[in-house]
Amino acid sequence: MLMDLILDRKAVVGVIGLGYVGLPLAVEMAEAGYRVYGIDINEEKVQSLVDGHSYIIDVESDKIAKMISSGKFHPTTDFSVIAQCDAVSICVPTPLRKTKDPDVTYITSAVAEIKKYMHKGMLITLESTTYPGTTEELIQHEIEELGYVIGEDFYVCFSPERVDPGNPVYNTQNTPKVIGGITPVCTELGCRLYGQFLERVVPVSSTKVAEMVKLLENTFRSVNIGLVNELALMCDRMGINVWEVIDAAATKPFGFMPFYPGPGIGGHCIPLDPMYLSWKAKMFNFYNKFIELASDINGNMPRYAISKLMDALNMQSKSLRGSKILILGMAYKKDIDDVRESPALDLYALISEKGADVDYHDPFVPTFRNGNEVIKSVELTSQNVGEYDCVVLATNHSVFDYKMISEKAKLILDTRNGFKQYHENIVKLGAPLETGAIMKAYQEILAGKYQ
Ligand code: SAJ
């Protein structure tokens, strides 16, 4: 009986997809005492784990080595181990196609493998972010075709991943986990299993509710980022410093949550997940406005940043064409090494297209691909920073020496409000060009002049 196996921790569990979601999940399950098969199609990843090395920022290698030697964790590329599994969690990517519709081929491939080794009594939980209805369409109905009866012969849940790579406070173990099943018994089994190794499980009544929870979480971010990005454009036009406005609004202790403008949005979640919802809603003849509008505004920010750069150079009677530009930061957000969908990639391509000579410096990103080219991060020194006509701060890594850069650079376009001190040579996204007087007053307030 699956419930007994779960409660006695004798259940054998499989995790398909050993990335930033699947590997930490496998670790929690193995540490709770379950025998875990970690399945991935990438042989290098599997071999690395077999050798006791972790490639995920939040998972220590010695933990992997211990789990391997204790016999609790078995990384493999062989899907046939699913025949031995009482429960399987699917943690594969769900990218968007260029046409902005969901690419669920990783999910369908994983389900095709499960079908080969399916047996009675198995619990299947999908964790990949996707549109409402996916779990029923791509898992429940597929397995039912084999003659199994949902809620009796097999169980299916959806549980959205809430992993924030590199987050020093929240991790897989202590982040509440929403779980919704196709039937009540599915929900109960899913909650019982995850409840054995996670601090808190949040049951919901169906897989669709659970799928929608995740999309609301990330659409909430995308729309609010879009709001402040539009506010930045407005403030620029109106001669107001948007950063000061947001900092002051953020002093409101209730009913407000600060979001910040930027050169666009990146990552594997926020630019993509809301488009899943928008795509599915259209099938119900529901044409949403917020998601598409936010996506449009956020997607346009790189071009706004370029126009700001040209305005800034224009102040010094320089054209972008022929100028030397340094982009600081290529990662999609600060203090990480991930460049997926990073707006800095767009900035690099747009600045190149305009005929400028562009370099980048990012201590977390030694190289990146620009089309067929491999671009290398250049060194940043107090000598060379002054050689550039403009330094563009695209990602506000904590490690940058902001004081040195502001003293040595001829001109700075700050798209992240990374430079807190006032300097004549700093132009900010979302603030008027002539920032001198405005920023000087702002700096005096920050320095406590009126307190
Ligand atoms: N961004 C802004 N302004 C903001 C916040 C973010 O421009 O106020 C940009 C970031 O620079 C980045 C993009 O948006 O390019 C996404 O940033 P993010 O902070 O949402 O970071 P992500 O993509 O790593 O989002 C993840 C999400 N986690 C999951 O999906 C499990 C998200 O739900 C988390 O809230 C977020 O981490 C987090 O809080 O760090």
Side-chain angles (χ1 to χ4, degrees):
M1 175 65 176
L2 180 56
M3 185 61 86
D4 298 332
L5 289 172
I6 288 173
L7 298 178
D8 298 345
R9 303 199 181 181
K10 290 196 173 22
V12 176
V13 292
V15 177
I16 301 177
L18 299 174
Y20 75 88
V21 174
L23 187 58
L25 180 69
V27 167
E28 294 303 332
M29 290 169 155
E31 292 201 327
Y34 291 100
R35 181 183 172 80
V36 183
Y37 284 106
I39 308 165
D40 201 292
I41 56 174
N42 182 314
E43 290 197 11
E44 272 173 47
K45 283 185 177 173
V46 168
Q47 193 51 53
S48 169
L49 294 172
V50 168
D51 296 344
H53 299 305
S54 166
Y55 44 79
I56 294 290
I57 188 173
D58 301 321
V59 177
E60 303 298 323
S61 292
D62 60 10
K63 254 190 194 175
I64 299 290
K66 225 182 303 178
M67 286 160 35
I68 298 273
S69 53
S70 71
K72 280 296 178 193
F73 182 46
H74 297 265
T76 178
T77 56
D78 176 6
F79 281 83
S80 70
V81 299
I82 292 172
Q84 302 169 54
C85 293
D86 302 300
V88 176
S89 292
I90 304 173
C91 305
V92 297
T94 44
L96 271 191
R97 292 187 221 281
K98 284 292 168 223
T99 45
K100 299 264 184 195
D101 60 317
D103 173 1
V104 291
T105 49
Y106 292 95
I107 298 177
T108 50
S109 309
V111 174
E113 292 295 341
I114 292 174
K115 286 174 74 172
K116 289 182 201 165
Y117 309 104
M118 188 67 202
H119 57 80
K120 277 196 173 189
M122 192 189 285
L123 166 65
I124 302 168
T125 303
L126 178 61
E127 295 216 4
S128 310
T129 304
T130 183
Y131 56 84
T134 305
T135 308
E136 290 175 0
E137 293 161 20
L138 302 187
I139 300 181
Q140 176 195 351
H141 299 159
E142 283 296 310
I143 305 294
E144 283 173 334
E145 277 177 11
L146 302 178
Y148 291 96
V149 177
I150 186 73
E152 291 174 25
D153 301 332
F154 75 112
Y155 313 96
V156 175
C157 288
F158 182 81
S159 180
E161 61 93 354
R162 281 179 166 171
V163 177
D164 182 26
N167 189 315
V169 178
Y170 295 108
N171 53 50
T172 297
Q173 212 274 337
N174 67 8
T175 301
K177 197 83 162 73
V178 169
I179 299 186
I182 300 284
T183 71
V185 72
C186 299
T187 305
E188 185 180 4
L189 284 164
C191 290
R192 283 267 183 262
L193 173 61
Y194 278 75
Q196 299 301 309
F197 52 85
L198 298 183
E199 224 166 80
R200 185 178 165 213
V201 167
V202 181
V204 290
S205 61
S206 73
T207 56
K208 280 183 176 169
V209 167
E211 288 159 339
M212 189 60 104
V213 164
K214 170 70 177 185
L215 294 178
L216 170 60
E217 287 168 11
N218 284 1
T219 300
F220 163 77
R221 291 184 71 74
S222 168
V223 169
N224 278 287
I225 294 165
L227 170 65
V228 290
N229 276 333
E230 185 174 64
L231 205 76
L233 301 175
M234 209 187 289
C235 284
D236 186 337
R237 189 77 59 85
M238 297 166 77
I240 298 168
N241 173 2
V242 74
W243 304 99
E244 184 179 7
V245 170
I246 295 169
D247 283 348
T251 60
K252 183 180 179 191
F254 51 85
F256 183 79
M257 177 179 178
F259 285 85
Y260 299 94
I265 61 171
H268 42 274
C269 305
I270 309 309
L272 310 182
D273 299 350
M275 301 314 285
Y276 270 107
L277 188 51
S278 173
W279 174 81
K280 189 66 180 180
K282 285 175 187 149
M283 291 188 177
F284 293 79
N285 284 324
F286 188 95
Y287 293 82
N288 77 84
K289 300 171 185 66
F290 281 107
I291 296 173
E292 306 275 344
L293 177 60
S295 175
D296 182 43
I297 292 171
N298 293 331
N300 188 51
M301 291 310 280
R303 289 190 181 281
Y304 162 62
I306 297 299
S307 73
K308 196 74 185 172
L309 172 58
M310 290 194 276
D311 289 348
L313 287 167
N314 195 46
M315 282 194 321
Q316 298 183 354
S317 307
K318 290 179 184 172
S319 68
L320 181 49
R321 176 173 293 280
S323 287
K324 265 177 73 66
I325 307 295
L326 175 68
I327 296 176
L328 281 185
M330 196 49 68
Y332 77 78
K333 72 175 181 179
K334 75 176 190 174
D335 302 342
I336 64 166
D337 62 0
D338 194 339
V339 296
R340 278 177 293 183
E341 309 286 328
S342 174
L345 297 170
D346 296 327
L347 294 181
Y348 187 93
L350 289 166
I351 292 171
S352 303
E353 274 167 32
K354 297 280 181 189
D357 177 7
V358 58
D359 287 333
Y360 89 96
H361 168 73
D362 188 325
F364 293 86
V365 182
T367 66
F368 76 91
R369 296 190 71 81
N370 183 39
N372 297 327
E373 267 188 290
V374 175
I375 311 294
K376 287 192 174 63
S377 171
V378 298
E379 209 194 350
L380 177 72
T381 66
S382 55
Q383 284 72 38
N384 74 356
V385 72
E387 290 166 9
Y388 293 93
D389 295 300
C390 188
V391 172
V392 178
L393 179 69
T395 312
N396 49 328
H397 289 313
S398 309
V399 72
F400 288 144
D401 183 347
Y402 290 94
K403 186 173 182 305
M404 179 278 283
I405 298 164
S406 62
E407 287 164 357
K408 299 290 184 186
K410 289 175 188 151
L411 178 64
I412 294 169
L413 171 61
D414 181 358
T415 74
R416 296 285 194 175
N417 196 32
F419 293 87
K420 303 297 182 197
Q421 312 80 358
Y422 155 71
H423 269 269
E424 287 290 345
N425 63 343
I426 297 177
V427 172
K428 287 195 187 266
L429 209 67
L433 275 179
E434 304 69 39
T435 47
I438 291 173
M439 290 306 285
K440 208 166 177 59
Y442 179 38
Q443 300 312 320
E444 285 169 350
I445 286 169
L446 289 182
K449 181 174 178 183
Y450 302 107
Q451 302 295 356

